[in-house]
Amino acid sequence: MFFVSGLLGEGRGTAGWRAWALMLCGGLQLLAGASHAKAPVPSALPVVTGVEIRRTTDGIPHLRAGSWRELGVGVGYVQAQDALCTLAEAFVTYEGRRAWFFGADGRPARDSTFGRPKNVDLDFFFRAFADDKVLASYREQHPPELNELVDGFAAGYNRYLADARSGQVRATGRSCLKQPWVRDITADDIHRRMFAAQIAAGYAKFITEMANAKPVKSTSDAKVGEGGDAVLRSRLAQRIGTQPGIGSNVLAFGREATGGDGAVLFGNPHWYWGGPDRFYQMHLTIPGKIDVAGVAFLGVPVVMIGFNDHVAWSHTVSEARRFGLFDVTLDAADPTRYQVDGKTEAMTAREVGVEVRADDGSVRRITRTFYRTRFGPVVDLGGHNAAFGWGLAHALVIRDVNAENFRIFRNFFYWNQAKSLDDFIAIQRREAAVPWVNTVAIGRGEGRGDGRVWYGDVGAVPNAPDDLRKACMTPLAAGFANVDPHTPVLDGSRSACDWRLDLAAVQPGAMPVAALPWLLREDYVANMNDSYWLSNVRQPLEGFPSLLGGERKPLDLRGRLGHHMALDLLRGQATSAEALSRRVMRDVLTPRSYSAELFKGEVLAQACVQPVVELDADMLKAAGLDGLVKVGTAARKVDVARACTVLRRWANKANPGDHGVLLWEALWARLEQIPADDLYGVAFSSDAPLDTPRKLLTSEGTAAKALAATVVEFGAKGWSLDGVLGAHRFVASGGYRFPIYGGCHSAGYFTVACNDDGGNKLGPDSLANSYLQVVRFGPSGVEAHTLLAHGQDEAAVAGGQGAAPVARYARKAWLRFPFREDEIARDPKRSRLVLSP
């Protein structure tokens, strides 16, 4: 079998990039692309037999097939080419065999939407919940064409694995190739993968607590308020996964912003750079049936964020709760029986077994029993607060609306083929399937284009409105509301307190579409992971149930900046969608630190009154410095004059060549730990949501002490106060080091580059800009520019191969996406492979 591999390097602008890299990186050279033969531009497209795989600049695969199954073969093949080891390990996870291959107490190497629970807990969870009934539901509820696509993916993955193992294709960098856990897959593996994504905002948040739930043997129940709630509160504050900041930005501009010339969409998830949930970019075509491009999670054969010739869309993580809890009253004589309407019912019990292989090769089988009530399975949160554990009198039960929602990927399948914005909206409202994200979309239209923009948090949500929550409140529910006010906790001793059934709803127990928030505008819509409430500042959405995210509450700094950027672009009076697109591409990669724009002047006015600040031992310990410096009994005098000078000179942006960025970020991280009531002189007002809270109010030298503590921290770490950002925030890839712009969302960056471990080097465990797209529609159809910050290859940000997309992102060189056949044929990096049937 013949294959020309995806090539590194860049065909245009090489000299400018080399100069930029030399200036910032001390002599690094740009990657040189390997030579290859150019395929001729076809005069007419041949009939497709099998699947044609063409790779263009940055290794993006364009798949063209004659049937759904063959298209799936292409998707499975190219994803395995670029991410075999990540996919193979993920399939082990979803099958529930991690403890066998990687040890019971080990954890996944990479983060994902379900975090990093112990291997054995993951095994028990997936075996208990991604069962045969779930797999059958996908087959039953997916259209036949999607089933064919899934079957094809498995066949394509297996075909690549066979080709790589036989040496027919090169498998450079795939160190897992000969490992025993790398195996052929079936459609069941893809469906289990879908299930993992499906329950990311519900069950996946509590895998450990569900996998270890069991009746207690103690003689008393804890009271609400006993024990700490901080970890649980923090867990629930993250709508997806465990790392702060995961989410997205999305802006869409209508005809008011483009001079009547249609609409423009910008989408930008801040997502995983590694692991099973990273994005994969691809272009899928069956002539006359589908022609769509964008990204999907690894292991998914449909485009989840992207565009076709008629619509474009993107998502942000929603604030809405997708699960609820029930406070069930237990039988005093048996904690596996519970009371409903004055009668006792037995929980259903299911024993699940997991095989574990020890280091010495010995094998043992361990079992656990999972218990389920009519409301859902038991979840034991007693490790966070004993009152929320499985006691003798009460237990908590979880219900995930998406555990019963098998419409999700057929919704994406239909969107991939949508013919207009109205068609797109109708699909979303008909399926009511979107699992845990907001949706923003634009369409092509006729003439000068469809100038409308769509926002909707329309999907699967528990039908637990506020009046039901009030009527079904229990003391335990009231206590849980102090931890998280958005999660509905209902009285499980009354059948009337189950999620309401509405005949208008697509799914039993789900909220009807008519009760969900949406906007159709001609100016703009935006979401930066704040609630639906302020998706357009001119038309707040109000009067919705609190579990959807809440209203009239502060936006975070990234959200405030995003809306200001949108309004500035709207007022810019662009004369066309093309002109607005250029401005958007410039602005969204300008790494503004909004915290510095708003508050740096006030901080320096308070912190720099005296050049020397005195810190005593208690202050050093409170600042978390006792682990970095020796804390004695004498006060430490800290010279802050140099730090003040550096911050005054800094232009409040985080480009690789900027000085003072890290100093401000460390200082702001200390200040933002202060409660808002103590930090700001003007509190949040829903009448001025983009401008409040404001006026930094610190007392007793708080700002000065925070700055002094930051200076001490930098000294202990050996960091220069005016160090250049690019020396600290970078990606190592393909033997080169690429400085990266931006910062963490908490400092108010719209352009996000954040490492959860607090280190400098960005890599597979980072959360940052991932897939970016700016899309409009011109006379010839879709016009899209994209960036895939972490690249296609699973090793691109882990020091391995596939660095070209990373280099592109580092220099902000948007890629004009080759969507049409003539554009693909002209691409300077084009290669071609045909897989026969």
Side-chain angles (χ1 to χ4, degrees):
M1 181 174 293
F2 174 76
F3 177 67
V4 181
S5 63
L7 299 169
L8 303 183
E10 178 58 29
R12 300 168 188 162
T14 307
W17 159 241
R18 185 178 289 113
W20 183 88
L22 285 169
M23 176 181 68
L24 290 182
C25 306
L28 293 179
Q29 297 180 354
L30 180 64
L31 290 168
S35 61
H36 66 291
K38 301 291 196 302
V41 176
S43 57
L45 291 174
V47 176
V48 179
T49 302
V51 58
E52 181 184 33
I53 302 171
R54 292 164 294 177
R55 296 266 189 172
T56 58
T57 298
D58 293 347
I60 299 171
H62 304 256
L63 311 174
R64 185 170 177 268
S67 71
W68 292 106
R69 189 182 189 282
E70 292 303 327
L71 185 61
V73 167
V75 179
Y77 197 92
V78 297
Q79 287 201 15
Q81 279 182 316
D82 292 330
L84 175 67
C85 298
T86 303
L87 281 166
E89 183 181 344
F91 293 137
V92 171
T93 301
Y94 309 140
E95 186 189 15
R97 297 196 71 200
R98 291 195 64 88
W100 177 260
F101 290 109
F102 307 121
D105 293 329
R107 299 175 186 268
R110 301 289 174 230
D111 202 6
S112 68
T113 53
F114 51 79
R116 294 177 182 170
K118 285 184 178 180
N119 291 337
V120 69
D121 291 339
L122 282 165
D123 288 351
F124 274 115
F125 173 82
F126 279 107
R127 291 198 180 190
F129 294 100
D131 57 12
D132 290 343
K133 182 180 178 181
V134 163
L135 302 181
S137 295
Y138 285 112
R139 284 285 187 189
E140 293 166 1
Q141 298 193 37
H142 282 175
E145 299 88 347
L146 181 51
N147 285 331
E148 292 174 25
L149 200 60
V150 169
D151 288 339
F153 186 106
Y157 177 95
N158 296 341
R159 184 165 180 173
Y160 173 76
L161 184 57
D163 288 349
R165 282 179 166 167
S166 67
Q168 293 188 62
V169 297
R170 289 189 304 167
T172 305
R174 306 298 167 240
S175 59
C176 67
L177 188 59
K178 296 182 180 180
Q179 292 297 319
W181 46 269
V182 180
R183 57 166 176 81
D184 282 358
I185 64 170
T186 69
D188 287 348
D189 292 288
I190 307 304
H191 291 142
R192 283 188 284 258
R193 191 280 164 269
M194 289 177 169
F195 183 76
Q198 186 168 313
I199 48 87
Y203 283 173
K205 301 179 73 63
F206 304 106
I207 285 177
T208 299
E209 293 83 355
M210 295 175 71
N212 290 281
K214 58 184 178 181
V216 300
K217 297 180 180 179
S218 61
T219 58
S220 64
D221 276 279
K223 305 297 183 183
V224 174
E226 294 178 357
D229 297 326
V231 174
L232 182 58
R233 183 178 290 109
S234 175
R235 172 92 64 88
L236 292 168
Q238 312 307 322
R239 296 295 184 258
I240 297 293
T242 58
Q243 293 191 45
I246 192 166
S248 311
N249 298 324
V250 64
L251 307 173
F253 300 92
R255 59 170 53 96
E256 287 186 26
T258 64
D261 188 29
V264 172
L265 172 74
F266 165 67
N268 172 23
H270 309 136
W271 204 246
Y272 303 97
W273 275 19
D277 291 320
R278 71 192 293 268
F279 283 123
Y280 186 84
Q281 189 173 10
M282 56 192 181
H283 181 187
L284 312 179
T285 303
I286 299 176
K289 294 183 179 179
I290 189 173
D291 193 12
V292 64
V295 293
F297 295 160
L298 286 174
V300 173
V302 295
V303 169
M304 299 172 67
I305 293 176
F307 50 87
N308 62 27
D309 223 7
H310 308 283
V311 297
W313 73 98
S314 192
H315 296 296
T316 64
V317 174
S318 166
E319 281 272 281
R321 280 284 178 256
R322 309 294 169 156
F323 69 94
L325 299 172
F326 292 85
D327 173 13
V328 296
T329 301
L330 302 177
D331 187 322
D334 184 351
T336 66
R337 297 185 65 86
Y338 63 105
Q339 299 177 12
V340 181
D341 298 335
K343 300 179 180 179
T344 62
E345 296 182 7
M347 297 179 183
T348 59
R350 178 185 177 189
E351 186 176 271
V352 176
V354 168
E355 295 77 26
V356 178
R357 186 170 56 184
D359 292 339
D360 62 3
S362 62
V363 177
R364 63 190 175 101
R365 179 180 173 84
I366 56 177
T367 62
R368 294 179 187 173
T369 302
F370 288 77
Y371 293 89
R372 179 181 289 270
T373 70
R374 63 163 66 184
F375 304 105
V378 179
V379 58
D380 190 341
L381 303 180
H384 304 288
N385 183 321
F388 304 138
W390 191 343
L392 295 178
H394 292 270
L396 283 177
V397 167
I398 186 171
R399 184 175 177 186
D400 182 346
V401 71
N402 285 307
E404 308 159 40
N405 175 13
F406 299 97
R407 307 175 307 281
I408 295 169
F409 292 96
R410 81 182 191 202
N411 181 101
F412 286 117
F413 179 73
Y414 293 139
W415 270 351
N416 287 187
Q417 304 164 73
K419 300 301 183 184
S420 67
L421 181 59
D422 288 327
D423 187 20
F424 182 95
I425 295 169
I427 292 167
Q428 184 168 10
R429 295 174 67 86
R430 181 189 74 220
E431 298 292 330
V434 178
W436 34 262
V437 287
N438 303 286
T439 303
V440 171
I442 64 172
R444 179 176 179 178
E446 302 292 338
R448 296 196 71 191
D450 189 333
R452 301 171 299 162
V453 292
W454 162 259
Y455 162 83
D457 196 353
V458 176
V461 181
N463 195 11
D466 292 345
D467 63 328
L468 179 67
R469 295 178 65 179
K470 182 177 180 181
C472 294
M473 181 70 68
T474 68
L476 194 66
F480 199 92
N482 292 325
V483 177
D484 176 60
H486 297 303
T487 298
V489 183
L490 306 176
D491 186 352
S493 69
R494 291 183 283 157
S495 60
C497 290
D498 201 351
W499 296 351
R500 283 182 179 159
L501 294 176
D502 191 308
L503 295 179
V506 176
Q507 177 180 324
M511 198 170 288
V513 167
L516 298 171
W518 59 269
L519 279 175
L520 194 60
R521 301 277 303 183
E522 295 185 356
D523 51 356
Y524 88 100
V525 292
N527 188 271
M528 281 66 67
N529 303 121
D530 295 298
S531 86
Y532 61 86
W533 171 57
L534 215 64
S535 295
N536 180 295
V537 295
R538 298 169 175 174
Q539 188 181 350
L541 293 166
E542 297 184 339
F544 293 90
S546 58
L547 67 80
L548 289 173
E551 300 163 7
R552 294 180 173 268
K553 63 179 188 178
L555 280 68
D556 66 19
L557 289 174
R558 175 165 58 90
R560 288 169 63 177
L561 175 58
H563 278 285
H564 277 298
M565 289 168 59
L567 293 171
D568 289 344
L569 287 163
L570 192 62
R571 288 189 289 262
Q573 297 181 336
T575 56
S576 67
E578 182 180 4
L580 181 62
S581 294
R582 289 196 299 267
R583 294 178 186 175
V584 169
M585 285 187 279
R586 174 201 65 197
D587 287 4
V588 298
L589 293 185
T590 301
R592 297 166 58 182
S593 173
Y594 202 49
S595 59
E597 290 184 20
L598 293 178
F599 303 118
K600 187 182 76 172
E602 295 175 358
V603 169
L604 296 182
Q606 299 175 40
C608 300
V609 175
Q610 299 292 334
V612 176
V613 177
E614 190 171 282
L615 295 179
D616 60 28
D618 290 339
M619 295 175 187
L620 290 168
K621 290 178 181 178
L625 298 174
D626 48 328
L628 284 176
V629 299
K630 184 177 180 180
V631 178
T633 57
R636 178 186 293 247
K637 294 184 177 180
V638 182
D639 188 343
V640 299
R642 175 61 176 158
C644 292
T645 300
V646 170
L647 289 174
R648 288 191 184 103
R649 291 175 176 173
W650 174 49
N652 303 336
K653 292 182 176 62
N655 283 305
D658 289 336
H659 303 261
V661 181
L662 297 170
L663 183 62
W664 172 258
E665 289 178 357
L667 172 57
W668 181 253
R670 287 192 161 84
L671 292 174
E672 69 174 347
Q673 299 304 312
I674 301 172
D677 291 345
D678 298 325
L679 184 60
Y680 300 109
V682 178
F684 169 75
S685 168
S686 60
D687 293 328
L690 301 188
D691 301 309
T692 57
R694 65 175 186 270
K695 188 174 176 54
L696 210 63
L697 180 66
T698 57
S699 59
E700 299 180 358
T702 302
K705 294 170 186 175
L707 180 58
T710 304
V711 170
V712 172
E713 176 190 355
F714 272 50
K717 291 180 176 179
W719 290 3
S720 171
L721 295 176
D722 64 347
V724 66
L725 177 64
H728 291 266
R729 190 161 294 154
F730 59 87
V731 174
S733 184
Y736 299 89
R737 201 161 95 166
F738 301 101
I740 300 296
Y741 44 90
C744 290
H745 77 289
S746 57
Y749 287 103
F750 190 82
T751 304
V752 173
C754 195
N755 201 334
D756 71 316
D757 64 5
N760 304 317
K761 182 179 177 181
L762 298 173
D765 295 323
S766 298
L767 291 177
N769 286 358
S770 54
Y771 170 71
L772 298 84
Q773 64 177 25
V774 174
V775 188
R776 63 183 176 88
F777 296 95
S780 300
V782 67
E783 305 284 346
H785 289 78
T786 69
L787 288 170
L788 190 66
H790 50 65
Q792 295 284 92
D793 194 286
E794 62 188 350
V797 292
Q801 60 192 26
V806 182
R808 172 184 297 283
Y809 177 74
R811 66 185 190 276
K812 306 181 185 179
W814 288 88
L815 175 68
R816 172 68 168 80
F817 189 88
F819 187 78
R820 285 172 282 281
E821 285 295 331
D822 61 327
E823 297 169 329
I824 296 170
R826 289 195 302 268
D827 191 277
K829 300 297 182 184
R830 186 169 71 100
S831 64
R832 182 174 182 267
L833 165 70
V834 176
L835 298 179
S836 58

XYZ file of all heavy atoms in Angstrom, residues 4-66:
447
model
N 1.621 8.789 1.051
C 2.502 9.943 1.244
C 2.083 10.606 2.527
O 0.948 11.048 2.665
C 2.379 10.936 0.056
C 3.315 12.094 0.270
C 2.713 10.232 -1.250
N 2.969 10.675 3.481
C 2.591 11.133 4.814
C 2.317 12.619 4.828
O 2.762 13.363 3.968
C 3.709 10.817 5.818
O 4.866 11.521 5.473
N 1.563 13.071 5.871
C 1.351 14.492 6.074
C 2.681 15.165 6.333
O 3.541 14.638 7.028
N 2.891 16.345 5.783
C 4.210 16.971 5.803
C 4.261 18.153 6.741
O 3.296 18.889 6.898
C 4.555 17.425 4.373
C 4.619 16.252 3.369
C 4.688 16.789 1.961
C 5.824 15.394 3.668
N 5.425 18.344 7.356
C 5.643 19.487 8.217
C 6.083 20.665 7.381
O 6.412 20.557 6.212
C 6.721 19.170 9.253
C 6.458 17.961 10.148
C 7.588 17.842 11.153
C 5.141 18.105 10.846
N 6.135 21.813 8.038
C 6.646 22.991 7.347
C 5.534 23.836 6.784
O 4.372 23.501 6.821
N 5.915 24.940 6.208
C 4.961 25.920 5.734
C 5.415 26.439 4.391
O 6.584 26.727 4.178
C 4.871 27.090 6.747
C 3.938 28.187 6.345
C 2.524 27.673 6.133
O 2.152 26.687 6.767
O 1.839 28.248 5.297
N 4.499 26.567 3.446
C 4.873 26.956 2.092
C 5.045 28.431 1.890
O 5.693 28.865 0.942
N 4.442 29.264 2.769
C 4.477 30.705 2.549
C 4.912 31.413 3.818
O 4.692 30.945 4.911
C 3.093 31.211 2.147
C 2.580 30.563 0.867
C 1.119 30.848 0.664
N 0.593 30.069 -0.444
C -0.685 29.838 -0.652
N -1.581 30.317 0.166
N -1.079 29.128 -1.678
N 5.472 32.585 3.667
C 5.841 33.405 4.819
C 6.970 32.832 5.645
O 7.143 33.184 6.799
N 7.775 31.925 5.067
C 8.810 31.256 5.853
C 9.864 32.223 6.363
O 10.300 32.147 7.516
C 9.478 30.173 4.990
O 8.454 29.332 4.455
C 10.434 29.344 5.815
N 10.266 33.163 5.539
C 11.332 34.077 5.950
C 10.907 34.936 7.126
O 11.650 35.138 8.084
C 11.734 34.960 4.763
N 9.661 35.437 7.061
C 9.193 36.278 8.162
C 9.117 35.519 9.466
O 9.483 36.016 10.526
N 8.636 34.265 9.380
C 8.566 33.452 10.600
C 9.948 33.156 11.152
O 10.190 33.188 12.340
C 7.831 32.155 10.288
C 8.118 31.049 11.276
C 8.685 29.856 11.018
C 7.842 31.057 12.685
N 8.786 29.113 12.155
C 8.279 29.823 13.200
C 7.288 31.989 13.559
C 8.172 29.492 14.522
C 7.178 31.649 14.887
C 7.614 30.420 15.356
N 10.921 32.876 10.248
C 12.261 32.556 10.726
C 12.861 33.747 11.460
O 13.484 33.599 12.511
C 13.161 32.138 9.554
C 14.540 31.688 10.010
C 15.404 31.225 8.860
N 14.936 29.965 8.318
C 14.427 29.825 7.105
N 14.300 30.867 6.325
N 14.032 28.643 6.678
N 12.629 34.934 10.908
C 13.156 36.122 11.573
C 12.515 36.312 12.943
O 13.172 36.632 13.926
C 12.913 37.352 10.692
N 11.203 36.082 12.979
C 10.476 36.226 14.258
C 10.991 35.217 15.271
O 11.231 35.525 16.425
C 8.990 36.016 13.992
C 8.108 36.213 15.189
C 7.544 37.369 15.615
C 7.672 35.197 16.096
N 6.795 37.141 16.724
C 6.854 35.817 17.048
C 7.915 33.832 16.197
C 6.259 35.120 18.077
C 7.320 33.128 17.234
C 6.497 33.783 18.147
N 11.165 33.970 14.815
C 11.623 32.923 15.726
C 13.041 33.179 16.213
O 13.365 32.969 17.376
C 11.545 31.559 15.023
N 13.901 33.658 15.311
C 15.277 33.957 15.714
C 15.299 35.057 16.762
O 16.045 35.009 17.728
C 16.097 34.366 14.482
C 16.504 33.215 13.540
C 17.061 33.803 12.251
C 17.530 32.321 14.208
N 14.465 36.050 16.557
C 14.454 37.178 17.477
C 14.008 36.748 18.871
O 14.614 37.124 19.874
C 13.504 38.258 16.949
C 13.356 39.448 17.888
S 12.209 40.680 17.236
C 10.661 39.806 17.325
N 12.944 35.904 18.945
C 12.375 35.569 20.234
C 12.946 34.304 20.845
O 12.867 34.101 22.042
C 10.854 35.407 20.104
C 10.087 36.695 19.837
C 8.603 36.384 19.791
C 10.366 37.728 20.911
N 13.493 33.434 20.044
C 13.900 32.127 20.544
C 15.400 31.907 20.484
O 15.876 30.771 20.582
C 13.181 31.030 19.769
S 11.404 31.236 19.762
N 16.169 32.944 20.246
C 17.609 32.813 20.315
C 18.200 31.937 19.236
O 19.083 31.129 19.510
N 17.710 32.099 18.012
C 18.351 31.404 16.907
C 17.673 30.138 16.445
O 18.240 29.384 15.666
N 16.440 29.863 16.915
C 15.742 28.675 16.429
C 15.384 28.838 14.967
O 15.058 29.933 14.511
C 14.457 28.464 17.244
C 14.649 28.101 18.709
C 13.300 27.960 19.378
C 15.435 26.812 18.842
N 15.428 27.759 14.247
C 15.082 27.788 12.835
C 13.706 27.186 12.649
O 13.285 26.324 13.395
C 16.097 26.995 12.010
C 17.508 27.584 12.083
C 18.476 26.748 11.251
O 18.113 25.715 10.739
N 19.692 27.225 11.134
N 13.057 27.644 11.606
C 11.741 27.105 11.289
C 11.878 25.689 10.768
O 12.866 25.334 10.152
C 11.070 27.972 10.209
C 9.660 27.538 9.767
C 8.706 27.663 10.936
C 9.192 28.379 8.606
N 10.875 24.875 11.049
C 10.869 23.514 10.537
C 10.957 23.516 9.014
O 10.287 24.302 8.347
C 9.561 22.814 10.943
C 9.419 22.503 12.423
C 7.999 22.101 12.705
C 10.377 21.413 12.797
N 11.759 22.633 8.495
C 11.857 22.508 7.048
C 10.956 21.384 6.584
O 10.992 20.284 7.120
C 13.302 22.197 6.656
N 10.144 21.654 5.586
C 9.247 20.624 5.081
C 10.002 19.633 4.218
O 10.922 19.974 3.484
N 9.613 18.358 4.312
C 10.214 17.336 3.466
C 9.739 17.500 2.039
O 8.634 17.957 1.787
C 9.827 15.949 3.981
N 10.586 17.143 1.087
C 10.187 17.244 -0.317
C 9.211 16.130 -0.650
O 9.253 15.050 -0.088
C 11.421 17.147 -1.220
O 12.048 15.899 -1.032
N 8.325 16.403 -1.571
C 7.361 15.396 -1.978
C 6.825 15.753 -3.348
O 6.901 16.893 -3.788
C 6.211 15.300 -0.977
C 5.373 16.532 -0.923
N 5.855 17.712 -0.403
C 4.109 16.762 -1.338
C 4.900 18.633 -0.491
N 3.847 18.086 -1.048
N 6.258 14.757 -3.992
C 5.707 14.988 -5.325
C 4.317 15.582 -5.210
O 3.500 15.135 -4.417
C 5.647 13.667 -6.092
N 4.049 16.593 -6.028
C 2.737 17.220 -6.048
C 1.804 16.411 -6.957
O 2.159 16.039 -8.067
C 2.819 18.661 -6.588
C 3.743 19.572 -5.780
C 3.175 19.867 -4.421
C 3.877 21.054 -3.763
N 5.313 20.869 -3.623
N 0.605 16.140 -6.459
C -0.366 15.466 -7.302
C -0.928 16.471 -8.297
O -1.104 17.643 -7.983
C -1.496 14.896 -6.445
N -1.193 16.069 -9.519
C -1.719 17.001 -10.514
C -3.118 17.459 -10.163
O -3.875 16.755 -9.497
C -1.724 16.165 -11.802
C -1.842 14.748 -11.323
C -1.061 14.706 -10.040
N -3.478 18.667 -10.598
C -4.815 19.190 -10.383
C -5.774 18.447 -11.305
O -5.579 18.431 -12.524
C -4.874 20.703 -10.675
C -6.294 21.199 -10.528
C -3.934 21.452 -9.753
N -6.788 17.791 -10.778
C -7.675 17.016 -11.631
C -8.578 17.923 -12.460
O -9.063 18.942 -11.984
C -8.490 16.192 -10.627
C -8.492 17.019 -9.376
C -7.162 17.709 -9.347
N -8.803 17.526 -13.707
C -9.707 18.298 -14.551
C -11.147 17.941 -14.265
O -12.056 18.732 -14.457
C -9.393 18.031 -16.023
O -9.483 16.638 -16.293
N -11.392 16.710 -13.795
C -12.737 16.276 -13.413
C -12.597 15.270 -12.289
O -11.660 14.476 -12.261
C -13.463 15.660 -14.606
N -13.530 15.304 -11.355
C -13.442 14.412 -10.212
C -13.902 13.020 -10.605
O -14.991 12.850 -11.168
C -14.315 14.937 -9.071
C -13.830 16.227 -8.415
C -14.869 16.705 -7.407
C -12.498 16.013 -7.733
N -13.074 12.004 -10.336
C -13.480 10.639 -10.665
C -14.538 10.133 -9.691
O -14.712 10.654 -8.597
C -12.171 9.855 -10.508
C -11.407 10.625 -9.462
C -11.754 12.069 -9.718
N -15.231 9.108 -10.103
C -16.164 8.444 -9.208
C -15.356 7.781 -8.091
O -14.323 7.152 -8.345
C -16.995 7.390 -9.973
C -17.896 6.617 -9.005
C -17.826 8.064 -11.057
N -15.819 7.948 -6.868
C -15.070 7.433 -5.728
C -15.388 5.956 -5.524
O -16.550 5.558 -5.424
C -15.411 8.225 -4.451
C -14.633 7.664 -3.269
C -15.107 9.687 -4.636
N -14.360 5.130 -5.497
C -14.481 3.724 -5.125
C -13.574 3.509 -3.917
O -12.363 3.676 -4.007
C -14.055 2.799 -6.273
O -14.862 3.078 -7.423
C -14.234 1.340 -5.881
N -14.158 3.156 -2.790
C -13.385 3.127 -1.560
C -13.392 4.506 -0.936
O -14.420 5.182 -0.898
N -12.255 4.962 -0.446
C -12.160 6.289 0.152
C -10.855 6.945 -0.260
O -9.789 6.318 -0.216
C -12.300 6.231 1.699
C -11.243 5.336 2.317
C -12.218 7.627 2.314
N -10.950 8.180 -0.690
C -9.793 8.970 -1.075
C -9.405 9.862 0.103
O -10.239 10.600 0.625
C -10.121 9.811 -2.302
C -8.974 10.670 -2.803
C -9.379 11.559 -3.971
O -10.549 11.995 -4.006
O -8.521 11.817 -4.829
N -8.136 9.786 0.496
C -7.627 10.593 1.607
C -6.605 11.567 1.050
O -5.562 11.165 0.543
C -6.964 9.718 2.683
C -7.953 8.686 3.227
C -6.417 10.579 3.825
C -7.312 7.643 4.135
N -6.929 12.845 1.117
C -5.972 13.864 0.716
C -5.581 14.673 1.944
O -6.445 15.117 2.690
C -6.578 14.763 -0.369
C -6.797 14.030 -1.684
C -7.737 14.783 -2.594
N -9.085 14.850 -2.036
C -10.089 15.503 -2.612
N -9.893 16.158 -3.755
N -11.282 15.521 -2.065
N -4.315 14.824 2.142
C -3.801 15.647 3.237
C -3.350 16.971 2.648
O -2.656 17.015 1.627
C -2.619 14.967 3.914
C -2.954 13.645 4.595
C -3.259 13.824 6.046
N -3.375 12.543 6.738
C -3.495 12.407 8.049
N -3.499 13.490 8.824
N -3.623 11.225 8.604
N -3.728 18.073 3.318
C -3.280 19.397 2.904
C -2.423 20.010 3.997
O -2.053 19.344 4.962
C -4.483 20.288 2.556
O -5.349 20.374 3.695
C -5.268 19.729 1.369
N -2.099 21.273 3.850
C -1.226 21.977 4.798
C -1.610 21.666 6.241
O -2.785 21.668 6.595
C -1.308 23.486 4.542
O -0.848 23.746 3.220
C -0.459 24.262 5.538
N -0.603 21.416 7.062
C -0.737 21.056 8.469
C -1.309 19.659 8.667
O -1.739 19.302 9.757
C -1.583 22.081 9.239
C -0.902 23.434 9.349
O 0.307 23.514 9.060
O -1.580 24.414 9.717
N -1.307 18.854 7.591
C -1.734 17.466 7.718
C -3.221 17.260 7.854
O -3.672 16.191 8.290
N -4.037 18.249 7.459
C -5.488 18.121 7.592
C -6.002 17.114 6.565
O -5.766 17.268 5.363
C -6.181 19.478 7.399
C -5.710 20.462 8.473
C -7.699 19.316 7.449
C -6.164 21.887 8.246
N -6.723 16.082 6.997
C -7.238 15.094 6.051
C -8.594 15.520 5.456
O -9.493 15.955 6.174
C -7.400 13.844 6.909
C -7.678 14.366 8.273
C -6.947 15.675 8.394
N -8.683 15.381 4.131
C -9.932 15.592 3.407
C -10.342 14.227 2.870
O -9.652 13.652 2.021
C -9.739 16.577 2.264
C -9.187 17.899 2.695
N -9.961 19.045 2.795
C -7.937 18.269 3.079
C -9.206 20.049 3.200
N -7.974 19.600 3.384
N -11.453 13.705 3.362
C -11.884 12.349 3.042
C -13.053 12.408 2.066
O -14.052 13.088 2.318
C -12.304 11.615 4.312
C -11.310 11.700 5.478
C -11.889 11.066 6.722
C -9.993 11.046 5.104
N -12.920 11.679 0.983
C -13.967 11.654 -0.038
C -14.310 10.203 -0.333
O -13.436 9.393 -0.668
C -13.493 12.364 -1.301
C -14.543 12.499 -2.400
C -14.024 13.430 -3.500
N -14.964 13.519 -4.600
C -14.929 12.735 -5.686
N -13.981 11.824 -5.799
N -15.818 12.871 -6.644
N -15.586 9.856 -0.171
C -15.999 8.463 -0.316
C -17.312 8.390 -1.074
O -17.991 9.398 -1.292
C -16.133 7.807 1.062
N -17.692 7.170 -1.435
C -18.937 6.965 -2.161
C -20.051 6.420 -1.304
O -21.185 6.297 -1.769
